[in-house]
Amino acid sequence: MKLSFRIAASLACGLLAAASLGWNILHSDPAALQANWGFSLPAGAHCALVYEQDEGASFHGDGLRYHVFACQTGDPIDGLFPWAEADPEQTAQAGRWLDALEVPQAQRPIASQCLTWEIHQNDDPRDTLLAFWDREAGRLFILESFL
């Protein structure tokens, strides 16, 4: 009896550890970007996460998320999206989201120095990714909104 309990307890602990590891991998920034938006940061850009902020855990996974990546090589990021000049509506929306997340000014993009790209999931404007690319600073700023 004691042996079967130990085996069952060991199996349960193993399953919990595997589930936890899987959850962390799927919710890491690069994996989440691939799963949610269908792109990965190019390996050749050598990007490292330097800042992130979100609204906290949510049962449905909705809310705001913000990531800042420092990229050593800009060329792969230049070709990642069809970048365009930031428009006032995108800049204003980003400002509202960053205010809601209480992101300090030092961690925000300077829109006039950035190119932008915007995508919606399933053409739903409530599920939006806004990316700002500051090539000179080597910073990629990514805002995600899921509602």
Side-chain angles (χ1 to χ4, degrees):
M1 181 77 161
K2 289 182 181 182
L3 182 60
S4 60
F5 175 76
R6 287 183 182 160
I7 292 171
S10 294
L11 285 173
C13 287
L15 287 172
L16 285 173
S20 175
L21 179 62
W23 177 266
N24 288 336
I25 289 170
L26 285 175
H27 288 85
S28 69
D29 297 312
L33 292 173
Q34 177 63 42
N36 293 330
W37 305 103
F39 75 90
S40 298
L41 298 179
H46 305 286
C47 296
L49 182 68
V50 295
Y51 180 84
E52 68 181 338
Q53 183 67 280
D54 63 37
E55 290 184 308
S58 164
F59 182 74
H60 295 288
D62 56 346
L64 298 171
R65 296 183 205 124
Y66 180 58
H67 322 279
V68 180
F69 296 93
C71 303
Q72 293 177 8
T73 307
D75 291 341
I77 302 298
D78 289 340
L80 185 59
F81 304 124
W83 297 105
E85 297 294 322
D87 74 34
E89 187 175 319
Q90 287 173 326
T91 302
Q93 182 63 59
R96 288 189 292 273
W97 289 345
L98 294 170
D99 288 345
L101 290 171
E102 299 179 356
V103 173
Q105 283 299 125
Q107 297 299 333
R108 295 179 182 214
I110 300 171
S112 63
Q113 294 176 214
C114 295
L115 296 173
T116 63
W117 182 69
E118 181 175 352
I119 188 172
H120 305 281
Q121 269 190 356
N122 304 316
D123 296 323
D124 186 344
R126 296 174 300 164
D127 294 333
T128 301
L129 178 138
L130 277 174
F132 290 81
W133 170 229
D134 185 338
R135 190 178 210 297
E136 186 175 317
R139 292 284 195 261
L140 178 63
F141 306 87
I142 297 180
L143 276 153
E144 299 175 87
S145 173
F146 293 100
L147 296 177

